[in-house]
């Protein structure tokens, strides 16, 4: 499966658009992580535990979007975008979405 944030795939022709596909996950912080990150916030620097949490969430959202595209028979997903939103205190949603397409076979 080719996944791209561009509207097309270089060297490939889109035969058919199959529709919008998306994948999401909601992740919550945990108390132990919050304590260490609060201390890090006081002295400055990257909040690595939160960076890792969000990276894992993005990968899970991409995997779910890809599975939805596979159900439609897609070869690729184009114009992929991400969105993040707070859903509760300490919880964030990551949404990945794009257009599933069938590529012209050569």
């Amino acid at each position: 499966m080719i996944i791209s944030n561009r509207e097309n795939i270089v060297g490939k022709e889109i035969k058919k658009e199959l529709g919008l596909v998306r994948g999401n996950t909601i992740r919550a912080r945990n108390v132990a992580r919050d304590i260490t990150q609060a201390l890090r916030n006081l002295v400055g620097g990257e909040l690595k535990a939160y960076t890792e949490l969000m990276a894992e969430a993005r990968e899970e959202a991409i995997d779910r979007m890809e599975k939805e595209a596979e159900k439609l028979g897609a070869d690729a997903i184009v114009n992929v975008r991400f969105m993040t939103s707070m859903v509760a205190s300490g919880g964030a949603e990551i949404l990945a979405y794009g257009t599933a397409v069938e590529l012209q076979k050569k």
Side-chain angles (χ1 to χ4, degrees):
M1 176 77 59
I2 300 171
I3 298 174
S4 176
N5 65 341
R6 296 174 52 126
E7 292 181 11
N8 54 34
I9 308 286
V10 175
K12 305 281 185 180
E13 186 177 330
I14 293 173
K15 177 181 176 181
K16 183 178 180 183
E17 287 188 16
L18 303 173
L20 177 70
V21 289
R22 59 193 167 275
N24 71 319
T25 185
I26 298 173
R27 295 291 179 103
R29 304 177 311 199
N30 68 39
V31 175
R33 189 178 283 160
D34 283 352
I35 292 169
T36 61
Q37 296 308 285
L39 293 172
R40 168 74 69 186
N41 197 28
L42 290 174
V43 297
E46 181 182 6
L47 303 176
K48 290 183 182 181
Y50 289 154
T51 300
E52 291 171 10
L53 178 72
M54 295 306 283
E56 291 169 6
R58 273 191 301 277
E59 289 304 314
E60 187 169 7
I62 290 169
D63 288 344
R64 290 177 177 176
M65 176 184 65
E66 187 174 359
K67 282 184 176 78
E68 190 173 319
E70 287 171 351
K71 288 179 186 175
L72 297 175
D75 300 311
I77 307 169
V78 295
N79 210 21
V80 172
R81 302 291 184 258
F82 294 93
M83 190 171 76
T84 305
S85 60
M86 290 275 293
V87 294
S89 177
E93 177 189 32
I94 300 287
L95 172 67
Y97 62 97
T99 303
V101 297
E102 183 180 332
L103 300 174
Q104 184 70 41
K105 307 291 188 231
K106 290 190 176 187

